[in-house]
């Protein structure tokens, strides 16, 4: 018989450690092999914590194609489908195949410096800002068409599933995760007689490429935010953003969960 391995990723909070113990015990009783170490042959990943735990689990394990589901012991837990009180029900539903798989799109940034390029992937968003809280001036292109010269704090580009995160706080729209699109959202855009920047967010088809090319003086004073993590690049020339070919497979137990989640977590 095939071994039914389940990877468990947990944050270190008291609640998460408690739930982890309960979960491991119940999984063992149901014939699964829970693994603390990331096992490539696992059939499922369970993340215990909040959205941060879910996102970190994906980054740390190079955006695995193994389906993932979260148990929410965090604050918000928008990605975390399962309530800690419903672990028995969750194991039953999972064992009986009473779930569907939602595909979450990732954002990919190809960062060009003077003599190298780097690829970064994000679950929620990637944003380009100036270092040290300065204004950044940059040219924005969509499929090589010049759209604007932006001046402000920066530009954030979010995935559909990341649209409820930082993007939302910046006044961006909520985009359903089934849509193939990226949202480009300005961060404190300046509009004056000197600078003219688009002040609303714009939703761009998933097969288009967004290019941000900061002015020369930011080549060495930029800040790239990838799901809340900061990166700096020397001799930065431009960044191309697109929807990645990779995606995340998230378990869902109800077709209505997105709308239930929105109402219970934001209203
Ligand atoms: P964090 O500081 O704990 O995150 C801030 C909040 O965003 C947490 O309540 C988190 O939920 C929630 N969140 C994360 N992804 C979400 C999503 N897709 N939809 C709705 N809410 C979401 O740091 P973190 O947990 O590592 O999360 C990183 C994310 O924080 C970044 O990707 C960015 O989107 C967001 N962020 C937001 C702001 C802002 O709104 N002003 C500023 C910086 C970063 P949990 O409590 O369950 O972790
Ligand atoms: Mn968090």
């Amino acid at each position: 018989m095939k071994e039914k391995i389940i990877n468990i990723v947990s944050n270190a909070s008291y609640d998460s450690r408690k739930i982890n113990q309960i979960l491991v015990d119940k999984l063992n009783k149901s014939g699964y092999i829970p693994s603390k170490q990331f096992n490539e042959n696992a059939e499922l990943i369970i993340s215990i914590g909040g959205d941060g735990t879910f996102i970190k689990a994906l980054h740390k394990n190079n955006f695995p194609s193994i389906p993932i589901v979260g148990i929410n012991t965090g604050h918000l837990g928008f990605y975390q489908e399962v309530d800690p009180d419903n672990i028995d029900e969750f194991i039953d539903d999972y064992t009986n195949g009473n779930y569907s798989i939602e595909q979450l799109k990732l954002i990919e940034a190809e960062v060009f410096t003077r003599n190298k390029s780097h690829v970064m992937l994000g679950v929620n968003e990637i944003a380009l800002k100036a270092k040290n809280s300065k204004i950044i001036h940059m040219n924005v292109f969509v499929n090589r068409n010049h759209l604007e010269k932006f001046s402000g704090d920066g530009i954030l580009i979010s995935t559909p599933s990341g649209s409820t995160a930082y993007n939302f706080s910046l006044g961006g729209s909520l985009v359903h995760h089934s849509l193939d699109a990226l949202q480009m959202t300005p961060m404190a855009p300046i509009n004056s007689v000197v600078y003219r920047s688009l002040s609303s967010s714009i939703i761009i088809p998933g097969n288009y490429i967004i290019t941000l090319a900061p002015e020369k003086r930011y080549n060495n004073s930029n800040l790239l935010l990838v799901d809340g993590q900061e990166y700096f690049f020397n001799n930065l020339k431009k960044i191309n953003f697109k929807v990645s070919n990779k995606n995340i497979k998230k378990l869902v137990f109800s077709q209505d969960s997105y709308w239930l989640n929105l109402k219970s977590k934001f209203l």
Side-chain angles (χ1 to χ4, degrees):
M1 205 180 82
K2 199 169 163 276
E3 287 187 328
K4 300 193 291 178
I5 302 162
I6 296 185
N7 292 330
I8 302 180
V9 186
S10 170
N11 67 12
S13 80
Y14 176 77
D15 285 349
S16 296
R17 281 182 285 151
K18 208 172 65 186
I19 295 300
N20 197 342
Q21 276 176 7
I22 297 171
L23 179 71
V24 164
D25 192 45
K26 289 183 190 286
L27 286 175
N28 277 322
K29 284 191 179 126
S30 304
Y32 294 100
I33 302 171
S35 173
K36 240 185 108 170
Q37 225 100 39
F38 191 85
N39 188 321
E40 295 282 340
N41 299 316
E43 58 176 46
L44 181 69
I45 303 164
I46 301 177
S47 74
I48 307 172
D51 288 324
T53 317
F54 181 91
I55 295 166
K56 275 186 206 92
L58 296 173
H59 276 275
K60 204 169 150 235
N61 299 296
N62 197 23
F63 308 95
S65 54
I66 307 167
I68 180 165
V69 67
I71 301 178
N72 185 27
T73 58
H75 292 116
L76 188 73
F78 202 73
Y79 285 116
Q80 304 283 85
E81 191 79 9
V82 179
D83 189 285
D85 294 332
N86 299 337
I87 293 181
D88 288 318
E89 196 188 341
F90 153 63
I91 295 175
D92 280 353
D93 282 344
Y94 178 67
T95 305
N96 297 323
N98 294 333
Y99 60 85
S100 51
I101 290 198
E102 215 168 78
Q103 311 261 358
L104 302 183
K105 290 169 184 70
L106 297 170
I107 176 172
E108 181 176 314
E110 194 175 6
V111 180
F112 295 90
T113 63
R114 193 168 55 209
N115 42 26
K116 268 196 194 144
S117 73
H118 310 256
V119 172
M120 321 277 296
L121 289 177
V123 181
N124 279 341
E125 77 279 298
I126 302 182
L128 179 62
K129 305 179 69 180
K131 218 160 99 177
N132 305 326
S133 307
K134 293 273 203 293
I135 294 171
I136 189 168
H137 303 280
M138 56 184 146
N139 281 300
V140 180
F141 302 83
V142 179
N143 274 1
R144 301 220 210 142
N145 299 292
H146 185 255
L147 178 68
E148 63 170 338
K149 179 147 152 226
F150 173 91
S151 300
D153 280 8
I155 288 183
L156 179 144
I157 301 170
S158 94
T159 60
S161 64
S163 65
T164 42
Y166 203 169
N167 167 72
F168 190 48
S169 309
L170 292 166
S173 294
L174 302 185
V175 175
H176 194 267
H177 50 75
S178 63
L179 297 171
D180 182 25
L182 290 176
Q183 181 166 190
M184 178 165 84
T185 303
M187 307 167 89
I190 304 180
N191 278 292
S192 65
V193 289
V194 199
Y195 304 119
R196 200 53 58 225
S197 315
L198 196 62
S199 56
S200 82
S201 76
I202 172 165
I203 294 173
I204 289 160
N207 57 344
Y208 281 33
I209 292 176
I210 302 166
T211 304
L212 302 182
E215 282 188 346
K216 222 171 165 74
R217 63 188 132 141
Y218 303 98
N219 287 6
N220 291 305
S221 79
N222 54 81
L223 177 62
L224 197 69
L225 276 177
V226 181
D227 291 337
Q229 283 281 111
E230 295 183 345
Y231 297 87
F232 301 94
F233 291 94
N234 282 323
N235 302 310
L236 175 68
K237 296 286 180 211
K238 64 167 186 180
I239 306 182
N240 286 342
F241 298 87
K242 61 174 188 181
V243 174
S244 169
N245 297 327
K246 272 196 181 178
N247 51 42
I248 297 304
K249 296 180 184 65
K250 185 169 86 77
L251 251 56
V252 283
F253 296 93
S254 149
Q255 285 311 316
D256 300 322
S257 58
Y258 178 78
W259 305 104
L260 297 171
N261 228 352
L262 264 192
K263 184 163 181 180
S264 69
K265 293 184 174 163
F266 288 103
L267 293 162

